[in-house]
Amino acid sequence: MLILASLLFAAAANAVPFTLERLELDLAVDYEHERIDGTARLTVRNTSTESARIVPLLLGRLMKVRSAGGLQFEQNIVTFEDESIRQVDAVTVHLAQPLAPGASTTVAIDYGGHIVGYTETGELYVQDRVSEAFTMIREDALAFPVLGAPSRAANRTILRNGFSFDARITVPKGFVVAAGSLVDTHDDNGRTTFHFASSEPAPFLNLSIAKFGILDENGVRVYYLPADEAGAKLILQRTRATLDLFTKWFGPLGKPPRLAVIEIPENWGSQAGLIPGIILTADSFRDPKYLFELYHELGHLWNPPDLDKPSARLNEGLSEWLQWVVAAQLDNVPPDRVAKMQARIIDRVTHEPRLASIPLASFGASDMTDWSYRVGHLYFSLLERVIGRDALLGIVRDYYQANREKGATLKDFTALVEKRCPQASTISADWIYSTRWLEKLRTAGSLEALAAQYLATS
């Protein structure tokens, strides 16, 4: 126990020296015992400047590692050193030989156990469990081994460039595993194995399991829960319409979309990626007034790779702005609804004391990216009022097309905005790189009044 404690402390105190390059899963779902079992193979690369021998991994607190491919390992249920309500199974794997800087190796983890949520940590969307009604296998609930130490600060330093994956998930016949990049399915003795694979880097992998219905048309596959077929048809239509709009505004994606849209229970957290697919909460399927959540996630498909580590996630603010632009065009959402929503945002930001001292550019480093949605939304809404919608859409288009392969930083984006807009250098200085925006917004009283001030001083 003393050896394990010292290893965990060392891993937590320093940046984790690895990044994930490939994830391979071979798992079976056992509904009778409400658990999953199988093997995860992680190919990791040493991103540090020194040789490294200890690979730190995290699993859900009701998971257990049985073996590590013949390598020595330790595991223990621990609490995060800087988050007293987060418990995990912390695993340390000892490589046979130190891994040189830049070199890669593969660690095979045989494990199993129960998936549990992490709502007590404030992550209210992580309600995961093994259930015949709905099951999800994803990193957020640590349903498979994830690079990391029992330290939030240390984990935020891990380099994340995306990873390729190959996943085989076996379920009782009649259940469907949903994700992007489906390769094939195989039936055997009352069970079905679903095979997903991508040789290209993906930002995440979510595997949703239920008795899904499926709609498949023109490159879009919609997985829906049994009661929501009517909503799924509307989701399919709106997905195609939104893809057409974004292609018109921002140009083509790096590759033609073969997109999966997957219904998940309400409050489980939507997320989007071209390769792994879009998970979308059930309210969007059941009530058209929540279709903006679909538009938000589709907007993320036109984000170039984010090179800032940690990222301020301005792209969340962009998707928040875009969701209402699309909703106005496709669903005739009235301007007063958007104005009321923006007024609520302004009221909320003016009551958050940290926003008076921490600029948006530092939200990632300060663990404040929850505010990137709201402050970022106001930033893009202000830009729209200053330079016009068409000009702003053109900036987003050119930023994506120039950087969709190589990636870009927040400074790359603001530099492009400033090049196109005479007032933008002041707006960037106020809204991105300082907190002057907050007092200016309070004084002006509205985005319209503040936009007029920026225009008057140009």
Side-chain angles (χ1 to χ4, degrees):
M1 291 294 291
L2 290 176
I3 295 175
L4 175 60
S6 63
L7 289 171
L8 293 175
F9 177 81
N14 301 287
V16 176
F18 299 98
T19 188
L20 179 66
E21 293 188 321
R22 182 169 175 78
L23 174 66
E24 300 174 39
L25 297 176
D26 190 349
L27 301 173
V29 179
D30 179 351
Y31 287 116
E32 180 182 358
H33 298 98
E34 298 182 339
R35 59 181 290 135
I36 61 171
D37 289 275
T39 302
R41 291 170 56 86
L42 294 84
T43 299
V44 299
R45 178 169 58 88
N46 183 356
T47 57
S48 72
T49 58
E50 299 179 356
S51 295
R53 192 167 184 174
I54 304 298
V55 180
L57 302 172
L58 301 176
L59 265 174
R61 58 187 180 271
L62 295 185
M63 297 284 185
K64 184 177 182 179
V65 174
R66 293 181 287 261
S67 67
L71 298 175
Q72 180 186 352
F73 72 94
E74 292 92 14
Q75 65 182 323
N76 196 30
I77 305 301
V78 302
T79 301
F80 268 44
E81 63 177 26
D82 50 4
E83 195 172 3
S84 61
I85 55 177
R86 186 180 296 273
Q87 281 193 327
V88 296
D89 182 11
V91 183
T92 55
V93 178
H94 301 249
L95 301 177
Q97 299 292 333
L99 189 66
S104 299
T105 190
T106 299
V107 176
I109 304 296
D110 182 67
Y111 76 103
H114 306 278
I115 302 174
V116 291
Y118 276 90
T119 56
E120 72 277 4
T121 68
E123 294 175 342
L124 301 181
Y125 71 98
V126 187
Q127 305 177 39
D128 304 30
R129 60 191 180 276
V130 176
S131 166
E132 291 188 358
F134 184 84
T135 299
M136 184 177 287
I137 298 172
R138 58 176 170 175
E139 176 179 338
D140 302 61
L142 302 176
F144 48 79
V146 173
L147 279 172
S151 162
R152 188 177 180 89
N155 293 337
R156 292 175 61 239
T157 68
I158 298 174
L159 182 64
R160 298 177 184 270
N161 289 328
F163 55 91
S164 63
F165 60 80
D166 189 288
R168 289 175 169 83
I169 311 298
T170 300
V171 295
K173 193 170 183 178
F175 288 86
V176 174
V177 184
S181 302
L182 176 66
V183 176
D184 56 36
T185 63
H186 176 69
D187 292 327
D188 181 34
N189 196 28
R191 298 179 70 79
T192 305
T193 298
F194 291 79
H195 180 200
F196 304 88
S198 172
S199 58
E200 301 177 47
F204 58 85
L205 176 61
N206 296 323
L207 299 150
S208 302
I209 309 167
K211 292 185 176 180
F212 287 114
I214 301 173
L215 299 175
D216 198 336
E217 182 181 304
N218 296 328
V220 177
R221 174 174 287 196
V222 178
Y223 296 86
Y224 60 92
L225 298 173
D228 297 328
E229 182 176 4
K233 291 178 179 178
L234 182 59
I235 290 286
L236 178 62
Q237 189 276 330
R238 287 295 196 271
T239 299
R240 287 300 332 164
T242 306
L243 290 174
D244 290 343
L245 265 183
F246 285 159
T247 301
K248 175 184 175 182
W249 292 341
F250 308 136
L253 290 165
K255 58 180 294 186
R258 174 61 187 166
L259 191 63
V261 181
I262 303 150
E263 183 179 9
I264 64 175
E266 291 184 17
N267 302 316
W268 278 51
S270 301
Q271 193 174 21
L274 185 59
I275 296 171
I278 294 174
I279 56 172
L280 190 66
T281 54
D283 42 5
S284 296
F285 284 75
R286 296 170 182 170
D287 190 336
K289 75 179 181 183
Y290 292 110
L291 283 168
F292 66 85
E293 296 179 5
L294 171 67
Y295 310 147
H296 179 108
E297 299 304 335
L298 289 170
H300 281 305
L301 301 183
W302 273 264
N303 295 155
D306 193 339
L307 301 182
D308 288 317
K309 309 296 179 185
S311 170
R313 295 179 66 187
L314 182 63
N315 59 350
E316 295 294 358
L318 175 59
S319 273
E320 286 280 303
W321 174 68
L322 282 173
Q323 72 189 29
W324 295 110
V325 175
V326 176
Q329 185 143 345
L330 296 184
D331 303 324
N332 297 315
V333 170
D336 65 327
R337 180 181 173 190
V338 180
K340 290 177 182 177
M341 178 269 302
Q342 289 176 345
R344 289 195 297 270
I345 293 176
I346 291 171
D347 181 66
R348 293 192 69 177
V349 300
T350 55
H351 288 85
E352 170 50 67
R354 291 179 298 173
L355 296 178
S357 59
I358 299 174
L360 191 152
S362 298
F363 281 4
S366 302
D367 199 17
M368 285 178 57
T369 52
D370 284 353
W371 287 100
S372 300
Y373 296 76
R374 301 182 183 94
V375 178
H377 172 90
L378 295 177
Y379 165 75
F380 282 102
S381 297
L382 176 72
L383 282 178
E384 179 184 12
R385 287 162 170 79
V386 172
I387 68 176
R389 178 175 295 179
D390 289 344
L392 182 51
L393 292 173
I395 289 171
V396 176
R397 176 194 63 229
D398 294 346
Y399 175 69
Y400 171 73
Q401 294 298 336
N403 300 293
R404 68 186 189 187
E405 300 295 335
K406 64 181 180 179
T409 65
L410 177 59
K411 286 187 176 181
D412 292 328
F413 181 77
T414 56
L416 179 60
V417 176
E418 291 166 16
K419 182 178 179 181
R420 301 286 180 84
C421 170
Q423 304 88 355
S425 59
T426 302
I427 294 173
S428 295
D430 289 347
W431 283 79
I432 306 297
Y433 301 110
S434 79
T435 63
R436 289 191 293 270
W437 66 272
L438 185 58
E439 185 56 36
K440 286 187 174 183
L441 182 59
R442 284 171 175 159
T443 302
S446 69
L447 284 177
E448 289 76 10
L450 183 55
Q453 291 179 16
Y454 282 116
L455 286 167
T457 58
S458 61

